[in-house]
Structure formats: C-alpha cells, structure tokens
C-alpha cells in the first residue's frame, strides 16, 4: 500500500498537521514531522478512527447549533452517554465516562478489539480530539483551539520574567495564544557551499514572486527580504552563509524556522555544504534540500541524493524524512514546489506573535551609512515597532528616527515577525543582539549600560563553561554529561581516524556522550568558533593552524581551541577528561572472616559474639554477613569491636575479639562472620578498555 504524508492526511481530515502528529503520537506513532510518510495501513486505520471521531464532533457541533437540539443537561441521553463526556469534563471524568463504553457480549476477540478502540478513543478524547460536550465545539477550529489549550496548560510553567535571559524573549512562543495574536511568517535561511546559488535563488524568488506592483526592478535594500504568496509571507534572512546563521545563534537567539540547504546538482556536496548541514543540525532547525542548477546538462541530482544519505538526510522518495526539491534558479524550475514546502513547514509550526506585546527584536546586521549614522536591520519578533520609540540593542541605544521596510520604503511602524531597517541607534550592535523598547531615551541609556555589564558577566561565565577542564569539572559533578567537539584536521583521513576513535570511546561509556558536532578539513575558522560557542563545544585542531583573528574571536567568545600534532595526544587528553567525568562506582570487597567461639551478654553492647579472626581482618563499621551451615542468617554492620576489654578499630588474623551488631541477639557458636567493606572506585578509561582505581578505603 502506498505511503501517505502526514500533512496530506491532515489536509484530508481537515486538521492541522501538528494536531494530527499529536494524535498519532498518542496512538503510538512517535517522531513524526509533517513531511513524514506513514505506511498505507496505518493511514487507513488513522483515517477511520479520526474520521469517526471528527464526524461525531462535527455532528454534535451542528446539533448544538440548532435551537431544538437537546440542551446541555440532557447529555446523559442513552445514545450519547457512552462516548460523550459530560459538560466541561476534566480528564478524569472523561475517562470515567469513556470507560462506560458498553461491552459486546459476544466473542472475547471482538471484545478485545472494542476495548482497544475504546482505549484509543479515550486517548484521543483526553487530548481534545473527542468533544467534551456537543455544545463545546461549534467548528473544527474550536476543536483545534481546545487542543492548543490542553497542550498549553500541560506545557505551562511559571517563568518569572525578572530572571528571563534576554535571548529567551526572542524565542518563538509556546503556551496560550492571546486573543490579540496574529500569524507571523516563517523565517528562512538559505545555506550552502559558495557558488551553489544562494544569491541566485533569493533573486529568482524575489523577481518572480514579490507582491504585484513591487515586482520588476526590485533591488533588495537590507539583509532580509519578504516573499508573499497567496497572502502568506515568508521572511528570508540574506546574510550570507552559515557563519552569520551561527553567529546569531551564538548570541543566544535562534531566529531561523527553516533552513534551505542549497546543493548544486553539477557539483554535489562540498565542504561548506557539510558545514551548513552540521550548523543547521546543531541548531535543531528543519532542513529542506534544494538541489539547484538542475537545468545544466551536467546536473546529477540523483548523485546529490546519494551523498545526502551520508549525512543522515534521507530523501522522502527513499523512505526518509528530508524534503528534497529539484530546482533551477536560472529557469525557475521547481521554485513553486520549494515555496510550497516552505509555506507548509512554516504553517505547521503555527507561528504567532502579539502586536500589542512589549517590543522585542533581533539584530540581523548593522552598519554605518555616512549620511544617516548607524543603520541596523532588525527582525521584529513581538510587539509593534514605531518611529519615536526608544530602543536598547545590546550596549547601544537610541530613539527611532526612521523605519524602512525591506524594499527601502519609509514606514511609520512595523508589525511583528518582519524585517525592518532602523535609523537612530547610537552604534552598530552585533548580529543576534536582542532589541527591546525603553520608556524613554534616559531609560534606554540606563538599560544599555546595565546590559553591557550583564553581557560582560555572561561572557565570563560562558568562557568558564567552555574551557575543557571546566567541562570536565561540570561532568564530574554530574551537571554536564556531554562533551561536544569540533574536529578540524589537515587531511580528511586523520579527521576520520580521530572521529572514529572518539566514537569508539563514546560507545564504551554510558555516563557521558561524546558528540562530534562537526568534522572539517583545513584551518580553524571563525565559523567553527561560532559553532563551538553556540553548541558549547571545544575545537580539536589537529595539525591545522588558525589565524590570529580566529584565536582572538575564540578568546572573546570563550571557546577553547586545542592544537595537537599527534593523534594519541588528542586521545590521551580526551581519555583523561572522560575519566574525570565518570561517576565513581561503589564496590563491595571482602576483608576477612571470623568464627564464633562463645556467646556472652554485655550491658553495654547487648549480645556479644566472642570470635577468632581466621582470615584477613575485622573492622569497625564493616558490613557483616553471619553464615550458619552455609546459609546467611543475618546481615548488618559491625558496631562494636573489642579486644582485651578495649574498643579497637580493627583486629587482624590470627586474633580473638568480641563482636556486636546492633539489634542482633541470635548468635550461635560455630557461626562464621564474613566482613566486607564498600570501596569507592574511581573509573578511568584507557584506549584499551575501562580501568578502575581505588579512591579511598571507606
Ligand atoms: P552563491 O555563492 O551561493 O550565492 O551562488 P550565486 O547565486 O552567486 O551563483 C553562483 C553562480 O552559479 C552564478 O554564476 C550563477 O549565475 C550560477 N547559477 C546559480 N543558479 C543557477 C542555476 O540554477 N542554473 C545555472 N545554470 N546556473 C546557476
Ligand atoms: Mg552569494
């Protein structure tokens, strides 16, 4: 049976993909994306089940709209009671009612299947698919809203705004959607190897798809642009390459909703393509692959798809999850498909912002124009930005003198989710800096200087966190359990060997994950540093150099670059580090044996066993196991150890002593006492295997 894509099925059912994914999730089909293909049989089952549920929901909604329809209280009508939970039912009530599904008195097989179905229905009902009452939903939108509400309540956590780090403000919303919320466009970044067609693609999209009237001769004005298709917008970030992408992320702000990975069909996957893939993956951004230049006679899109497999991007047509579109920026082939996919992925994320909220923006780029001073391109994330507003952007501030949209047209205000050019700031903030509004110019200045201090603190903390030994310390205390590394090497072979060794080490350890975020050939670049910063990774520079500027950036960003010449040095360091990260294990070790010779009572210690130590030693606070005729009769702690009427800490064989353990009076002559102690073992890892080293003698 043919496979069906999640979004197609959702469309068919009149649901949003995200809602369908949730439902499927509850039905035990995890890890789906809108582009996932589910097998035909599952699709049929889901279709039947959900159609039924939705039909019921819709029917009841319709009934509820009719004046003659039963009023809310008559919900206990027999034909409705089994599946329709009562008014404003909470989950418990819903389950109670659902549990009342009548059982067929036929064969047990049917019964079992019915119960299964009832369970599924209950699960769906519990998550908002089932109507809680006929009057509860007047439309499918209502139903979806209710799903959103249920999810929002589940996700909601108190987050005191006072301690909210700034980048947090620029994040996409989760949680209840206010009434004033509006849909916002998805933000797309195009990534790929040089000359594979990033600029050409953006130009082609703009030239053929900008709003009527604006098209023709549009020269892009700022580092971002907008596309409008069927009333839906997409925002493109045009700052070139993944370096800027990661630079923004390194500041803590993640603004990209979808990454388009462009690969030239005649050239295939190249080093910067790999970098781009790893940067997008590290950012956890969905990737759509655009195979460009398909118009060329030398184009070989199939080869590109093969190469994608090596990077865990399995094209949909081969059963994977990755959307791959074949395009040509020159002829326009496939661009409609690409745009459709972008809109789809955006739509599924249900992005929104609140124009009435406090203003938040993110700096995309900034520069100085001689006539106007600092010019800064922002992406507005929330609230509405207006001329005259006082802004703070990092350590810079100012009053907005002028606003321009991406085409260079002056505007009075800009709603959330869109790029805008701001004139009036005191300087040029870094890409990724968060912009907020202040009550007035004076407040803006104050906040800016407070923020500068905050940024300094943050940098100090970040550099502390990134240094290798601190990572280890964090791992030792159990705070950090991942060691992320970026490998840069002189030749591909050595990079691969190093990676293989690290992966081998990783597979032998449960407690820590060594994650190789990126492997590349050639000198360490600023882009590597930014990736390391954003992912809290260290850079292993194997027989490669780096420019002074790179080392300076690394210093500023608090990223550790560790240069190596010999492969074993790298491994030794990692091994030493990992060994520090392993939690010690506690081992029980036998220390000696004693035989009970006589029993006597002591007013101080209760019943005392007079023994002879026959092997090793007895030690106060050791664990003891009392063995009689080969069977254990008591286990406890050796509380009292005496020799010649004196308390002693240990007695070695051969010697006699008195032993007592709290609460045990059942000693018999002939019992054997086995003493053990617990030893904390520090674990070390060597390249040949795991080794344990005793830490102390407990
Ligand atoms: P970027 O470095 O990724 O921004 O790549 P450009 O957009 O500057 O494109 C590099 C070169 O490839 C330019 O000469 C473009 O004209 C050419 N190019 C881009 N897209 C296509 C395409 O679809 N077909 C063909 N034949 N050439 C293309
Ligand atoms: Mg370009």
């Amino acid at each position: 049976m043919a496979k069906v894509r999640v979004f197609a099925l959702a469309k068919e059912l009149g649901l949003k993909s995200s809602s369908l994914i949730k439902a499927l999730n509850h039905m035990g089909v995890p890890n789906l994306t809108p582009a996932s293909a589910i097998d035909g049989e599952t699709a049929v089952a889901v279709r039947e089940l959900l159609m039924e549920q939705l039909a019921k929901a819709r029917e009841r909604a319709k009934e509820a709209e009719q004046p003659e329809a039963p009023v809310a209280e008559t919900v206990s009508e027999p034909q409705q009671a089994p599946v329709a939970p009562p008014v404003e039912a909470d989950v418990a009530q819903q389950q109670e009612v659902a549990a009342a599904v009548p059982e067929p008195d036929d064969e047990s097989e049917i019964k079992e299947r019915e119960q299964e179905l009832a369970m599924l229905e209950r699960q769906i009902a519990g998550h908002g698919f089932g109507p809680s009452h006929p009057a509860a939903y007047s439309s499918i939108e209502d139903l979806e809203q209710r799903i959103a509400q249920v999810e929002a309540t589940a996700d909601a956590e108190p987050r005191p705004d006072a301690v909210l780090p700034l980048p947090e403000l620029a994040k996409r919303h989760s949680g209840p959607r206010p009434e004033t919320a509006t849909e916002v466009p998805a933000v797309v970044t195009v990534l790929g190897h040089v000359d594979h067609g990033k600029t050409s693609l953006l130009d082609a999209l703009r030239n053929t798809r900008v709003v009527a009237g604006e098209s023709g001769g549009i020269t892009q004005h700022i580092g971002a642009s907008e596309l409008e298709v069927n009333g839906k917008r997409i925002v493109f970030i045009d700052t070139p390459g993944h370096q800027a992408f990661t630079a923004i992320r390194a500041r803590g702000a993640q603004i990209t909703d979808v990454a388009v990975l462009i690969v030239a069909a005649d050239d295939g996957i190249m080093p910067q393509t790999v970098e781009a893939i790893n940067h997008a993956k590290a950012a956890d951004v969905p990737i759509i692959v655009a195979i460009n230049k398909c118009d060329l006679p030398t184009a070989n899109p199939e080869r590109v798809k093969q190469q994608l497999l090596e990077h865990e991007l399995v094209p949909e047509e081969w059963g994977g999850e990755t959307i791959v579109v074949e395009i040509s920026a020159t002829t326009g082939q496939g661009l409609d498909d690409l745009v459709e996919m972008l809109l789809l992925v955006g739509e599924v994320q249900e992005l929104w912002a609140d124009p009435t909220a406090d203003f938040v923006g993110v700096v995309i780029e900034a520069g100085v124009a001689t006539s106007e001073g600092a010019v800064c391109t922002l992406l507005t994330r929330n609230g509405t930005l207006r001329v005259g507003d006082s802004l703070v952007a990092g350590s810079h501030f100012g009053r907005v003198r002028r606003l321009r949209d991406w085409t260079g047209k002056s505007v009075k205000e800009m709603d959330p989710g869109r790029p805008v050019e701001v004139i009036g700031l005191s300087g040029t903030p870094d890409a990724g800096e968060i912009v907020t509004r202040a009550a007035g110019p004076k407040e803006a200045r104050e906040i800016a200087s407070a923020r500068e201090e905050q940024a300094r603190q943050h940098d100090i903390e970040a550099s502390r966190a990134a240094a290798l030994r601190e990572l280890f310390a964090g791992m030792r205390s159990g705070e950090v359990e991942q060691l992320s590394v970026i490998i840069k090497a002189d030749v591909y072979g050595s990079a691969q060997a190093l990676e293989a060794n690290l992966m081998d080490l990783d597979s032998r350890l449960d407690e820590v994950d060594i994650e190789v975020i990126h492997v590349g050939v050639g000198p360490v670049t600023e882009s590597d540093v930014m990736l390391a910063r954003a992912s809290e990774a260290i850079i292993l520079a194997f027989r490669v150099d780096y420019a002074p500027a790179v080392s300076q950036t690394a210093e500023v960003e608090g990223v550790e670059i560790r240069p190596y010449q010999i492969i074993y040095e790298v491994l030794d360091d990692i091994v030493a580090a990992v060994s520090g990260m392993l939690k010690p294990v506690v081992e029980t070790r036998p220390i000696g044996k004693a035989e009970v010779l006589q029993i006597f009572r002591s007013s101080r210690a209760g019943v005392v066993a007079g023994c002879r130590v026959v092997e090793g030693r007895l030690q106060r606070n050791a664990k003891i196991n009392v063995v009689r005729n080969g069977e254990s009769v008591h286990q406890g702690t050796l509380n009292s150890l005496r020799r010649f009427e004196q308390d002693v800490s240990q007695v070695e064989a051969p010697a006699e002593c008195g032993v007592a353990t709290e609460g045990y009076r059942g000693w018999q002559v002939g019992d054997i006492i086995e003493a053990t102690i617990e030893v904390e073992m520090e674990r070390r890892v060597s390249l040949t295997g795991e080794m344990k080293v005793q830490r102390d003698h407990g």
Side-chain angles (χ1 to χ4, degrees):
M1 217 177 282
K3 288 195 166 197
V4 183
R5 273 195 197 153
V6 169
F7 76 86
L9 185 59
K11 209 169 196 174
E12 182 191 320
L13 292 165
L15 284 172
K16 290 194 174 154
S17 297
S18 60
S19 304
L20 179 57
I21 288 172
K22 289 272 153 56
L24 285 165
N25 219 340
H26 294 306
M27 293 163 74
V29 191
N31 304 328
L32 293 172
T33 69
S36 302
I38 53 178
D39 68 65
E41 273 167 42
T42 309
V44 168
V46 168
R47 206 178 271 130
E48 276 176 9
L49 195 60
L50 290 185
M51 289 273 253
E52 200 177 306
Q53 284 291 312
L54 289 169
K56 277 180 194 161
R58 284 167 182 146
E59 204 172 286
R60 291 205 189 91
K62 227 165 68 195
E63 276 173 23
E65 272 169 15
Q66 290 161 3
E68 318 85 297
V71 284
E73 283 69 24
T74 61
V75 75
S76 51
E77 260 178 46
Q79 74 271 28
Q80 292 218 351
V83 283
V87 193
E88 285 170 16
D90 61 25
V91 172
Q93 278 173 310
Q94 287 188 10
Q95 289 185 345
E96 215 177 280
V97 173
V101 172
E103 292 173 356
D105 24 38
D106 277 310
E107 303 99 48
S108 61
E109 217 180 319
I110 297 178
K111 207 156 138 186
E112 231 174 72
R113 284 188 48 199
E114 295 252 327
Q115 276 172 349
E116 252 175 50
L117 187 67
M119 204 180 73
L120 278 174
E121 283 180 344
R122 195 153 61 225
Q123 279 173 356
I124 292 168
H127 289 85
F129 269 91
S132 62
H133 177 259
Y137 310 120
S138 60
S139 68
I140 285 303
E141 281 96 89
D142 279 2
L143 210 146
E144 285 180 343
Q145 241 169 38
R146 168 135 164 73
I147 296 170
Q149 274 168 15
V150 170
E151 282 158 9
T153 358
D155 291 349
E157 261 176 46
R159 288 192 311 187
D161 273 16
V163 296
L164 215 57
L166 278 174
E168 202 73 15
L169 295 173
K171 274 195 180 157
R172 289 297 193 194
H173 295 284
S174 61
R177 185 175 173 148
E179 276 189 9
T180 44
T182 53
E183 243 177 72
V184 293
V187 177
V188 176
T189 303
V190 182
L191 305 172
H193 196 72
V194 66
D195 282 348
H196 280 201
K198 294 183 291 292
T199 307
S200 307
L201 171 63
L202 289 168
D203 284 346
L205 289 173
R206 267 193 297 271
N207 291 335
T208 52
R209 279 164 190 80
V210 283
V211 202
E214 280 180 357
S215 64
I218 274 222
T219 47
Q220 188 206 349
H221 188 71
I222 59 178
S225 56
E226 285 180 354
L227 206 71
E228 199 172 317
V229 187
N230 305 329
K232 295 238 177 230
R233 281 208 188 90
I234 307 174
V235 170
F236 288 91
I237 303 295
D238 292 357
T239 49
H242 46 264
Q243 193 173 331
F245 169 82
T246 298
I248 291 177
R249 203 164 71 80
R251 297 262 159 280
Q254 156 59 21
I255 55 170
T256 302
D257 299 306
V258 188
V260 171
L261 179 75
I262 192 159
V263 189
D266 60 334
D267 207 15
I269 290 185
M270 297 298 280
Q272 285 170 35
T273 319
V274 179
E275 274 192 27
I277 292 172
N278 292 332
H279 282 235
K281 277 186 179 168
D284 215 6
V285 170
I287 299 172
I288 291 182
V289 178
I291 304 182
N292 190 30
K293 308 198 186 183
C294 286
D295 59 296
L296 292 175
T298 49
N300 190 349
E302 294 308 307
R303 188 174 133 249
V304 175
K305 288 176 205 165
Q306 284 285 357
Q307 293 175 328
L308 286 170
L309 292 180
E310 288 161 30
H311 300 279
E312 287 154 27
L313 294 174
V314 184
E316 279 186 313
E317 60 182 286
W318 296 350
E321 309 260 286
T322 305
I323 298 175
V324 178
V325 188
E326 295 177 23
I327 63 162
S328 162
T330 303
T331 66
Q333 169 201 337
L335 295 191
D336 285 337
D337 284 350
L338 178 61
V339 168
E340 193 188 318
M341 287 303 165
L342 290 174
L343 284 173
L344 171 80
V345 175
E347 197 178 304
V348 157
Q349 296 182 36
E350 291 168 28
L351 309 166
W352 59 269
D354 183 0
T356 66
D358 288 342
F359 173 76
V360 180
V362 177
V363 175
I364 294 172
E365 62 178 16
V368 178
T370 40
S371 55
E372 300 183 295
V375 178
C376 178
T377 300
L378 305 183
L379 179 69
T380 62
R381 296 294 272 182
N382 215 7
T384 304
L385 181 63
R386 296 185 180 85
V387 172
D389 284 349
S390 291
L391 293 185
V392 187
S395 55
H396 302 283
F397 56 91
R399 211 175 135 265
V400 178
R401 284 208 314 271
R402 203 166 302 149
L403 288 178
R404 284 195 286 250
D405 72 5
W406 73 277
T407 62
K409 199 175 87 192
S410 273
V411 291
K412 286 236 164 54
E413 58 174 50
M414 186 55 82
D415 40 331
R418 304 179 58 187
V420 66
E421 194 175 60
V422 175
I423 288 116
L425 286 182
S426 61
T428 53
D430 290 334
E433 209 75 78
I434 308 299
V435 187
T436 55
R437 178 161 45 206
K442 190 169 142 275
E443 287 84 352
R445 181 190 296 263
E446 281 166 12
I447 296 170
S449 69
R451 234 180 243 179
E452 200 174 5
E453 177 55 29
Q454 202 182 340
R456 216 186 339 262
Q457 284 301 328
H458 178 81
D459 279 353
I460 291 167
E461 276 163 33
S463 66
R464 236 194 264 135
L468 187 57
R469 63 182 175 283
E470 292 299 333
L471 273 176
F472 301 154
M475 285 176 162
R476 197 191 293 267
S477 63
E479 289 159 32
V480 186
E481 265 149 16
Q482 184 168 308
L483 176 59
S484 301
V485 300
I486 291 172
I487 298 174
K488 285 308 280 278
D490 53 345
V491 290
Y492 192 58
S494 55
Q496 264 188 321
L498 192 51
E499 185 183 15
N501 271 290
L502 292 178
M503 288 301 92
D504 177 49
L505 193 59
D506 180 60
S507 69
R508 287 194 261 129
L509 304 172
D510 288 338
E511 290 89 341
V512 287
D513 278 332
I514 302 174
E515 192 173 1
V516 179
I517 298 188
H518 174 60
V519 181
V521 173
V524 180
T525 62
E526 301 229 351
S527 135
D528 295 325
V529 172
M530 295 322 269
L531 179 60
R533 162 77 194 256
S535 310
E536 290 192 356
I538 54 168
I539 300 175
L540 306 176
F542 186 62
R543 289 190 192 146
V544 290
D545 243 350
Y546 40 99
V550 171
S551 125
Q552 208 177 339
T553 309
E555 202 167 301
V556 171
E557 300 296 342
V559 168
E560 188 170 12
I561 305 178
R562 296 178 70 90
Y564 293 98
Q565 292 299 322
I566 305 165
I567 201 157
Y568 281 107
E569 284 175 359
V570 187
L571 295 171
D572 279 354
D573 269 15
I574 297 288
V575 161
V578 169
S579 125
M581 282 146 29
L582 292 175
K583 288 182 195 125
V585 286
V586 174
E587 265 188 17
T588 301
R589 184 174 296 180
I591 54 166
K593 268 186 194 162
E595 191 184 336
V596 177
L597 304 177
Q598 64 181 126
I599 319 289
F600 45 90
R601 272 162 219 287
S602 143
S603 56
R604 204 177 54 95
V607 180
V608 175
C611 342
R612 181 191 297 124
V613 183
V614 291
E615 229 182 279
R617 65 179 201 272
L618 291 194
Q619 181 180 313
R620 193 145 25 109
N621 294 329
K623 298 275 178 249
I624 56 170
N625 182 26
V626 181
V627 180
R628 187 174 303 153
N629 302 326
E631 274 180 40
S632 170
V633 291
H634 178 74
Q635 284 166 353
T637 304
L638 201 164
N639 304 108
S640 161
L641 185 63
R642 300 196 114 200
R643 181 159 165 78
F644 304 129
E645 307 295 307
Q646 294 287 313
D647 278 320
V648 288
S649 60
Q650 72 171 51
V651 176
E652 283 190 45
E656 292 185 2
C657 60
V659 167
T661 171
E662 211 173 274
Y664 186 61
R665 314 170 66 88
W667 297 104
Q668 284 184 16
V669 172
D671 286 350
I672 302 292
I673 300 173
E674 295 174 352
T676 52
I677 53 165
E678 286 181 348
V679 185
E680 208 169 74
M681 303 293 289
E682 196 168 314
R683 291 155 68 196
R684 300 255 165 91
V685 175
S686 76
L687 293 178
T688 49
E690 194 181 296
M691 224 163 72
K692 289 184 205 137
V693 180
Q694 187 165 335
R695 222 182 190 185
D696 60 53
H697 291 260

